[in-house]
Structures are given as structure tokens and as C-alpha cells.
Amino acid sequence: LWKSNPPQVDNDAYLLVHEQTGTIEAMGFRADLRAPKLTFLRTMIELCAQYDWLLMDIKGHLVLPELEQVVAWTKRSNAYQFLKKPQQFFMDLEKGDLKI
């Protein structure tokens, strides 16, 4: 099985490296907010801060690599809104109040 039942903590990350130059072209990650102490998320934020990188969501919104800002940013995401109130999420989507 790809996912366990009940699901375990599920974080992932990717790194896109230019084949000729070896430079990082893109990096992305998805942090599971159910993780104890948010270790993975905290580590990724520290890495971004170390290299002066900004975080960008799927909609192109930018945020500084600071836990407080990332938490506030996450709470505005469609994924969070869906998990918080799934029926309201679909009603808002149908009315055009949300954009995917």
C-alpha cells in the first residue's frame, strides 16, 4: 500500500538540479501538519532561512521562512479550509468565493 491506514505522518520533498551546472533550480516540499513537533517543517524552514529563500505556495504567494508566518499562511490555504470545514469549502467553491 502506498498510504497506510490509519495514515502515518507523510512529508515529502524534491530538488531539481540543473544537469550541466549542478545548481539548484527548484526545491519543493509538503509538510504533514500532524507530525509531532513539526520537525520536518521546522527543518525545511531553517534550510530556507539559511539560504535566504522565500517560500511560495501553489498560487504564487510568497512568505518569509518563519514558522509564525508559515502557520498563518497555511491557515489561509484551500487545503486547510477543506479540512477545517469540508462542506463549507465546497459551497464556497461552487459560489466562486474560492479559487483552485
Side-chain angles (χ1 to χ4, degrees), residues 54-84:
L54 292 173
L55 296 165
M56 182 172 65
D57 68 12
I58 198 162
K59 295 178 182 178
H61 301 121
L62 298 174
V63 69
L64 292 171
E66 298 171 358
L67 184 61
E68 297 78 23
Q69 288 199 25
V70 171
V71 168
W73 180 45
T74 301
K75 288 182 178 181
R76 291 189 303 269
S77 72
N78 285 348
Y80 184 86
Q81 295 304 315
F82 171 75
L83 291 174
K84 187 176 171 190

Side-chain angles (χ1 to χ4, degrees), residues 39-57:
T39 303
F40 178 81
L41 177 60
R42 290 175 188 272
T43 302
M44 297 306 289
I45 289 171
E46 288 172 13
L47 178 68
C48 292
Q50 178 183 345
Y51 288 99
D52 294 322
W53 294 342
L54 292 173
L55 296 165
M56 182 172 65
D57 68 12

Side-chain angles (χ1 to χ4, degrees), residues 14 20-22 24 26 31-32 36-37 53 56 64 72 75 80 87 94-95:
Y14 73 88
Q20 282 79 31
T21 66
I24 296 172
D32 190 332
K37 300 182 184 177
W53 294 342
M56 182 172 65
L64 292 171
K75 288 182 178 181
Y80 184 86
Q87 289 180 327
E94 185 176 43
K95 291 188 295 187

